[in-house]
Amino acid sequence: MRMPLRAPVSSLELGRWIAVVWMSSTLSCTLSCSPQQAGSPQGDGPRGDGQHGDELPRDLWVDVTETVLPTTAEWSHRVEAADLDLDGDLDLIFVNGGNYSTPGEPELNRVFLNPGGGSRFEEATREILGEQPDLARAIKVRDVTDDGLPDIVVACAYGTPSRLFIGTEPGGFQEVTDSHFPQPGTVDGSGFSFGDVEAGDVDDDGDLDLVLADWGPGDAMSNPGARPRLWLNQLVETGSPTFLDATDDRLPDDAVAFPWDLELYDTDNDFDLDVVVSCKRCGGGLLLRNDGTGHFTSDRRALPQYTNNYDYAGMDLDGDGYLDLVTVNDGDIANGDPYSRREHVLINTGLDDSGRQGFADRTDQLWPDDANVGEDDNAVAFLDYDSDGDVDFLLASLTGADRLLINDGAGGLSLASQVLTGSETPGTLGIALADLDGDHRLDIAMSQGEHETATDERVFLGRGLEPDAAAPVLGEPRIETRSGASRVRLRIHDAKSPVQIEDFTSVTLERTPDADREGAGSADDLALSWYGGQLWRTAWLPLELDGSQITVCAVDRAGNRSCRDLSP
């Protein structure tokens, strides 16, 4: 229980040109493909009319935990879905160790490899993470070494060392924590206490850095908190993925008390990664603006301030090309229960005449109380459950049903609360969305904990969903030129959060062939690299790109293809 509130593509494949032969009809996909092949050519918003019938969906996801997942019995804070062994199937890591705001007992994080096809997962905890338990709060699987192999970052709490496992081969990992991570602090609680971690290239040098949400030493419910930490990857500079703590030089001294969630988002459409941090024990969350080089300034006034926030989740809800935010557990108390709070919708207002960007609370207009019911909720996961082109989302709840919020295409939300079959899920702390059985439907993995009866993790297959028929969303691109070289950057996602490279089979830049030269009808493709949040880019190319001659195309795991012509 939540004491004391309540009693009992590698990530950076830069410069790898690939010669691929395409039929000329492929290059015209932006104009002529079906909805299953090409997305909206405009903005970053809805890809359909967003209309819904009066009947709410039921039984979309079927509980298959007993048949696919070995027994679990830990307090699991989060779950991560990623392809650890590069076999094409998404595996699961459950994040364990520690109690709500006190250390508790260290535990092993649990790793389960997916054999595919809906078969039973095989445990590989000790083979991948070794025998050492820890007090982990978050895990991210990202390619911080830029070698095409996944690496594992473990953010730990209560002064204990966070950990780094480098991929050595598909499914093989080596721990390099002592040599590659800053490690102040001991188990007595005198050092860092990380509640979350995100990877992204914040300084635009070509490798993935880490930003971490620090609780500070001692009891997170009573201490004054701490500022986020910035660990810069030295891969490009030194050739080794060692991390340097650059917090003092690059982040303001702006403390956050008991942050559960930290996100890297481009909030102002300038193609660098800003930082958004939730705050449970202070008046509101923190927004840190990136100047493009990894130096940050605080801008709390741009973010509506509400206490007891557990999560910020970002997606363009209203289709205007700017990233909006859904919050968790920081709204009005519902039904007279102090542990049940409503959530908020914060709509991005874009840039004003002075170039400032902010968020406005539009909860009253978009999320009526009968849909914003108020429970002790924990996290948000976005998806387009009905392939209608707008983003819906699931809410993970500790006290009520895990439930689906359906977007009408303009950000208006309605509630479907009976979308899961099986027994109740009273302790959902985290949700990961992934196609676990290869049928092109998003499935759900849940981490369960905190509640006294919620120790078994859960897996639900999306058998009540139609196969994914919606193409990826490509935002407004930017072509940048310097000293005769060019690169392309843009926002790309598949209406799912978080964005991962496993969401796509390819994200490429296609140069339109010259009709007069020999070999017309083919194209040179360049893989774009994910560099954090929803942002993708090419390498700096030794030529000046003409936007009328290039197209960006993305193909998701279900084979849906979307292209965007970069001409002005």
Side-chain angles (χ1 to χ4, degrees):
M1 291 185 290
R2 196 155 284 192
M3 304 292 288
L5 283 183
R6 186 166 59 243
V9 173
S10 72
S11 65
L12 291 171
E13 291 186 86
L14 299 180
R16 298 178 185 174
W17 285 93
I18 307 172
V20 179
V21 176
W22 295 91
M23 298 302 292
S24 59
S25 60
T26 301
L27 296 175
S28 63
C29 182
T30 302
L31 298 178
S32 62
C33 286
S34 68
Q36 287 77 18
Q37 296 170 295
S40 167
Q42 299 296 326
D44 200 22
R47 294 166 286 166
D49 61 14
Q51 300 302 309
H52 299 276
D54 294 333
E55 186 173 340
L56 291 171
R58 297 172 57 97
D59 302 338
L60 298 178
W61 288 276
V62 177
D63 189 349
V64 296
T65 304
E66 291 187 0
T67 60
V68 304
L69 197 66
T71 301
T72 58
E74 296 84 16
W75 180 333
S76 298
H77 304 284
R78 286 184 172 91
V79 55
E80 176 89 344
D83 189 359
L84 296 173
D85 51 7
L86 300 184
D87 65 351
D89 298 306
L90 295 174
D91 311 305
L92 297 174
I93 303 182
F94 292 95
V95 184
N96 303 326
N99 294 330
Y100 180 72
S101 62
T102 56
E105 292 296 324
E107 292 183 307
L108 290 173
N109 304 298
R110 303 285 295 278
V111 180
F112 299 100
L113 297 181
N114 184 359
S119 300
R120 189 171 183 82
F121 282 62
E122 301 166 357
E123 182 157 11
T125 297
R126 287 172 171 80
E127 293 84 349
I128 289 179
L129 298 179
E131 301 282 347
Q132 181 64 43
D134 54 32
L135 298 173
R137 300 292 295 207
I139 283 176
K140 292 295 185 296
V141 179
R142 302 291 185 266
D143 183 8
V144 300
T145 57
D146 191 24
D147 61 359
L149 296 171
D151 309 305
I152 303 173
V153 177
V154 186
C156 293
Y158 310 108
T160 59
S162 293
R163 306 172 72 182
L164 177 61
F165 296 82
I166 297 297
T168 57
E169 60 183 352
F173 295 84
Q174 175 187 2
E175 183 167 6
V176 293
T177 297
D178 292 343
S179 57
H180 287 63
F181 262 7
Q183 290 300 334
T186 61
V187 76
D188 65 6
S190 62
F192 298 141
S193 196
F194 293 130
D196 198 10
V197 60
E198 291 292 343
D201 186 4
V202 302
D203 56 355
D204 196 24
D205 69 346
D207 50 35
L208 295 180
D209 311 301
L210 300 176
V211 186
L212 306 101
D214 186 15
W215 297 346
D219 189 330
M221 288 295 291
S222 59
N223 70 13
R227 62 177 167 176
R229 310 299 299 187
L230 173 59
W231 291 0
L232 291 180
N233 194 341
Q234 303 300 292
L235 178 64
V236 169
E237 182 176 342
T238 67
S240 172
T242 55
F243 288 82
L244 172 69
D245 191 336
T247 306
D248 291 344
D249 295 333
R250 293 174 178 255
L251 265 62
D253 191 6
D254 203 338
V256 183
F258 208 180
W260 279 59
D261 176 64
L262 180 148
E263 301 291 349
L264 292 178
Y265 290 137
D266 176 15
T267 61
D268 47 8
N269 287 13
D270 62 356
F271 295 98
D272 58 44
L273 292 164
D274 307 307
V275 178
V276 184
V277 191
S278 75
C279 185
K280 177 175 175 57
R281 299 291 293 173
C282 49
L286 176 65
L287 172 60
L288 298 176
R289 301 271 189 203
N290 191 346
D291 69 355
T293 68
H295 294 81
F296 294 85
T297 56
S298 178
D299 191 7
R300 257 197 170 109
R301 64 176 179 163
L303 198 62
Q305 297 288 288
Y306 300 106
T307 191
N308 202 56
N309 184 2
Y310 285 1
D311 191 19
Y312 285 112
M315 194 68 76
D316 182 6
L317 287 170
D318 58 0
D320 66 352
Y322 280 88
L323 183 140
D324 310 305
L325 297 173
V326 174
T327 73
V328 169
N329 226 330
D330 61 354
D332 296 335
I333 292 173
N335 306 315
D337 183 349
Y339 313 116
S340 295
R341 290 177 174 266
R342 304 188 197 278
E343 342 291 355
H344 286 104
V345 173
L346 307 181
I347 295 297
N348 196 323
T349 57
L351 301 178
D352 62 21
D353 292 340
S354 64
R356 284 193 53 80
Q357 176 272 331
F359 293 88
D361 184 354
R362 296 286 185 264
T363 308
D364 290 345
Q365 296 91 328
L366 299 174
W367 202 345
D369 285 353
D370 62 355
N372 192 3
V373 295
E375 293 285 355
D376 194 347
D377 299 324
N378 289 284
V380 173
F382 283 103
L383 75 163
D384 181 2
Y385 91 95
D386 51 1
S387 294
D388 69 348
D390 53 58
V391 286
D392 315 296
F393 58 89
L394 286 161
L395 271 173
S397 185
L398 189 74
T399 59
D402 302 306
R403 51 203 187 275
L404 174 69
L405 278 302
I406 303 170
N407 188 350
D408 67 3
L413 301 171
S414 56
L415 172 66
S417 59
Q418 300 181 44
V419 295
L420 304 176
T421 72
S423 58
E424 294 183 352
T425 55
T428 311
L429 298 180
I431 287 179
L433 298 174
D435 179 8
L436 298 175
D437 57 354
D439 65 354
H440 305 318
R441 299 171 173 91
L442 281 178
D443 309 308
I444 300 172
M446 289 183 183
S447 55
Q448 297 278 311
E450 192 170 334
H451 192 283
E452 59 186 7
T453 66
T455 57
D456 55 330
E457 323 313 337
R458 306 289 286 276
V459 173
F460 296 79
L461 296 183
R463 291 174 177 166
L465 300 172
E466 292 297 322
D468 177 18
V473 178
L474 278 62
E476 188 71 29
R478 174 184 291 181
I479 300 176
E480 300 169 326
T481 301
R482 69 178 187 191
S483 304
S486 301
R487 72 174 175 181
V488 177
R489 297 198 284 178
L490 73 164
R491 179 182 294 162
I492 303 174
H493 62 82
D494 199 32
K496 168 190 164 294
S497 66
V499 175
Q500 295 175 273
I501 60 173
E502 290 97 338
D503 297 339
F504 304 94
T505 59
S506 66
V507 181
T508 56
L509 178 72
E510 298 181 357
R511 298 184 61 208
T512 305
D514 184 345
D516 294 329
R517 72 177 183 180
E518 184 178 353
S522 65
D524 293 325
D525 287 1
L526 175 65
L528 276 73
S529 301
W530 174 85
Y531 66 99
Q534 300 174 353
L535 298 181
W536 297 72
R537 67 187 173 198
T538 67
W540 284 102
L541 309 175
L543 72 165
E544 293 192 10
L545 292 174
D546 180 349
S548 65
Q549 298 178 347
I550 55 177
T551 300
V552 174
C553 291
V555 182
D556 67 19
R557 287 176 66 89
N560 303 305
R561 176 178 169 87
S562 181
C563 294
R564 179 148 190 165
D565 189 344
L566 302 191
S567 43

